[in-house]
Amino acid sequence: MPAMTSVDADAPAGTAGTGTPAEVVGPLVRGVGVLRRLTEAGGTLSPSALERATGLARSTVDRITGTLSRMGYVRADGRDIVLAPRVMELGNAYLAALRLPALLDARADALADELDESVSLAVPDLDGIRFIHQATRRRTLSVSFRIGDLLPAERTAPGALFATEWTDPDWTRWREHRSGTARDATFFALPPRAEPTDHGTLIDTFPEQVERARRDGWALDDQLIEPGLVAVSVPVRDPGTGRVACVASVVSHTSRHSAADLRTSLLPRLRTTVEAMEADLRAAAPVRPGPAPAGLATWTTASKHQLGRDFVESLARGLTVLTAFGEGRPALTLSDVARATGLSRATARRALLTHEHLGLVAARPDRTFVLTPRVLDLGFPPQSRTSLPRLAGPHLRTLAEALHEPTALAVLTSDGEEIQYTASAAAGRVLTVHITVGTRLPAPATALGRTLLADTTPALSDVRSQGYALVDEELESGVRSLAVPVRDRTGRAVAALSVTTHAARRTLDDCVQTLLPALRSTADLIQTDLRTASRFTPVPPT
């Protein structure tokens, strides 16, 4: 188990706690606290609620959220502050550096499909376990945990397996920390318990649970998290060290499997999958780092000049330091971080010390730094269950307001014959097109459909080459519609974005000259968010 940090992660976000190193960057501590409070609240809080949750002055909250908005990490939604998909780049940096999701998620997904049960991968995080992959079954009654969610070790099967490697100081720190969290108040993925009636029993029996896991080589969760939830877990060991790299679990509920049934019917198949995962780890070739990033934080100076005191440059620089890590860059020296960000060594050092104090970065004996699972606290869980319509919605509304025309997002139906509207934004006009989400129309008769069919239909080669489709009064008299594709990380068109107008308002030339650039810019924004959000978790198209 990693050494437990001395920082109190549950202290008010506006304070750095006792024993704070002199070089800790206060604005960065406060900004991280705001992101954590937003995460704990499910991704949305009003400025006044953030003020209460953090203990910060309203002016400080406004400056921090304004800076986070400039970074694309939050956005305003009416009177609320809402986490935005781009905040996932922080968690993506950790997951990419870890490599385990990229190497093992296909095995986990295949097992979930085979068993028709949820399968998860988890890593240790201080006195808890944190999910790094979830293959969840979509049922009326299903597991709702997300990537990044943190659970207490003593209430999970993975926790018992990780604790088999704890040292005596680790056990001492665990007991000290858990004695003050009897209601699981620090584990926000769990429903609050009205009374901690079983907390003492769990603490007392956890060592026995750990010894069983050490003896058996696997562990069972028989409704420890909540009534009805059961899981069986097996450790995936690092081929180089033999230590537990992560834990794979099959999760179900008692209406489908009893705890005993998990052991007899599902454990053998889980063990087979874990053996294959360990073989994948042994066979994995070292990552050849591509060109190291450079100047990641140089943009912050221009933002400071433009926005003045409303832009907290030390916060922006500090968060950008986290994105210097990634695939092929799991451990970086101070010099590496300074080069990647374009910051001075002194500035990079203060940011790293602050992140170490907050538990986001760990220093290693070889003078390098690595990200910890706690980086996933910064906005990842609420965003990891997003969908394409939810992701695109704010962009559609902004475009509709700018053009004063209705906008829409659509996907092809499974047979490829029709389009289905999945999101829309209305325009404030008397004469306008009303688009109802869920409506289906013949794909060949719409600009959206032609855009989506263009990659696979030779007759639409002109649409493919020009990158847009323009339909003039073919579906209905007076209606002109312009559409462009929205592409995923592989370049495949997974949806199309359109703007619709009346023939009396805009000529065909005006549609191409005026509407098309704005439409393409919005599609680019949606694609950027989609590619960030889908790097380690699927984003459903509907």
Side-chain angles (χ1 to χ4, degrees):
M1 176 179 173
M4 294 185 184
T5 179
S6 61
V7 69
D8 181 2
D10 308 307
T15 64
T18 58
T20 302
E23 293 184 281
V24 158
V25 182
L28 180 53
V29 173
R30 292 186 281 274
V32 166
V34 167
L35 284 176
R36 280 178 166 161
R37 299 294 91 86
L38 279 167
T39 303
E40 293 159 6
T44 303
L45 280 175
S46 67
S48 58
L50 268 174
E51 184 181 357
R52 291 191 298 271
T54 60
L56 299 172
R58 177 60 179 269
S59 60
T60 303
V61 169
D62 289 344
R63 291 181 65 218
I64 288 173
T65 55
T67 303
L68 295 174
S69 177
R70 182 75 167 192
M71 299 183 75
Y73 289 173
V74 304
R75 59 179 175 82
D77 185 2
R79 296 182 178 181
D80 291 332
I81 303 299
V82 179
L83 289 171
R86 189 173 175 181
V87 75
M88 294 178 75
E89 72 179 12
L90 300 174
N92 284 344
Y94 164 73
L95 294 172
L98 184 66
R99 288 194 75 196
L100 291 176
L103 292 172
L104 305 181
D105 61 2
R107 298 281 187 189
D109 294 346
L111 182 61
D113 290 339
E114 177 186 339
L115 300 179
D116 195 26
E117 299 289 354
S118 295
V119 174
S120 66
L121 299 176
V123 294
D125 188 353
L126 301 184
D127 58 345
I129 66 113
R130 197 178 292 272
F131 295 113
I132 59 169
H133 182 71
Q134 286 281 358
T136 304
R137 301 294 87 188
R138 295 186 177 275
R139 297 195 184 97
T140 303
L141 186 62
S142 61
V143 179
S144 62
F145 292 130
R146 307 157 300 184
I147 295 176
D149 277 340
L150 180 69
L151 301 180
E154 69 276 5
R155 295 184 65 184
T156 68
L161 291 164
F162 290 128
T164 62
E165 298 180 341
W166 286 4
T167 63
D168 288 340
D170 291 332
W171 279 104
T172 299
R173 285 188 291 263
W174 168 76
R175 288 190 176 92
E176 291 175 350
H177 188 80
R178 296 301 285 134
S179 65
T181 56
R183 296 179 187 269
D184 294 328
T186 59
F187 297 96
F188 296 94
L190 292 179
R193 290 188 290 173
E195 294 294 336
T197 54
D198 62 343
H199 182 73
T201 301
L202 284 172
I203 297 299
D204 292 340
T205 60
F206 186 54
E208 299 173 12
Q209 184 184 350
V210 172
E211 286 308 309
R212 275 197 307 273
R214 190 193 313 276
R215 181 187 68 241
D216 298 339
W218 56 274
L220 197 64
D221 170 0
D222 188 0
Q223 306 180 76
L224 293 173
I225 290 294
E226 66 178 21
L229 187 68
V230 290
V232 63
S233 301
V234 174
V236 180
R237 298 193 177 275
D238 185 304
T241 65
R243 294 176 63 84
V244 180
C246 67
V247 168
S249 303
V250 177
V251 186
S252 188
H253 57 82
T254 52
S255 298
R256 293 175 59 83
H257 293 280
S258 67
D261 187 35
L262 286 183
R263 174 182 177 181
T264 57
S265 63
L266 301 188
L267 177 58
R269 189 62 192 88
L270 176 58
R271 278 178 158 162
T272 300
T273 295
V274 166
E275 289 174 1
M277 287 178 173
E278 292 176 340
D280 290 342
L281 293 182
R282 287 192 296 272
V287 175
R288 292 184 178 180
L296 291 172
T298 54
W299 65 274
T300 61
T301 301
S303 293
K304 183 64 175 179
H305 288 159
Q306 181 180 356
L307 301 177
R309 71 179 304 276
D310 290 333
F311 183 77
V312 187
E313 189 173 16
S314 57
L315 167 59
R317 285 175 165 179
L319 290 177
T320 302
V321 161
L322 299 176
T323 67
F325 298 81
E327 186 176 9
R329 304 187 308 279
L332 300 178
T333 64
L334 172 59
S335 296
D336 293 333
V337 172
R339 282 193 296 268
T341 58
L343 300 174
S344 68
R345 283 175 56 90
T347 300
R349 178 175 176 273
R350 291 191 67 200
L352 287 167
L353 285 174
T354 303
H355 288 315
E356 184 181 9
H357 174 70
L358 294 172
L360 302 171
V361 163
R364 303 202 307 186
D366 62 357
R367 302 176 68 84
T368 62
F369 296 87
V370 295
L371 299 181
T372 74
R374 192 148 291 197
V375 173
L376 293 172
D377 263 345
L378 307 184
F380 204 94
Q383 293 294 314
S384 69
R385 287 286 180 87
T386 193
S387 64
L388 183 54
R390 180 181 171 190
L391 180 152
H395 299 297
L396 265 65
R397 292 191 289 272
T398 299
L399 181 62
E401 291 169 3
L403 299 179
H404 304 290
E405 303 284 5
T407 60
L409 189 78
V411 298
L412 277 178
T413 55
S414 57
D415 59 10
E417 298 293 327
E418 296 178 310
I419 61 160
Q420 179 178 349
Y421 288 97
T422 58
S424 65
R429 288 186 179 275
V430 175
L431 182 63
T432 188
V433 174
H434 293 284
I435 299 167
T436 302
V437 171
T439 297
R440 294 188 177 195
L441 294 174
T446 65
L448 288 159
R450 293 179 188 180
T451 298
L452 289 167
L453 293 170
D455 288 351
T456 58
T457 306
L460 295 173
S461 59
D462 58 330
V463 174
R464 183 170 60 255
S465 62
Q466 66 192 16
Y468 69 89
L470 177 59
V471 170
D472 182 26
E473 302 186 78
E474 294 183 33
L475 189 65
E476 184 176 337
S477 297
V479 175
R480 285 176 176 159
S481 186
L482 184 69
V484 297
V486 174
R487 299 186 182 276
D488 64 11
R489 295 178 62 85
T490 68
R492 182 172 64 93
V494 293
L497 174 68
S498 72
V499 60
T500 303
T501 187
H502 190 274
R505 285 205 297 266
R506 298 182 187 271
T507 65
L508 292 176
D509 184 65
D510 188 33
C511 287
V512 174
Q513 297 300 319
T514 304
L515 300 184
L516 182 59
L519 195 62
R520 281 177 164 162
S521 295
T522 299
D524 287 343
L525 293 173
I526 295 173
Q527 287 174 166
T528 297
D529 283 351
L530 175 61
R531 292 169 185 180
T532 300
S534 64
R535 186 170 181 186
F536 291 103
T537 183
V539 176
T542 58

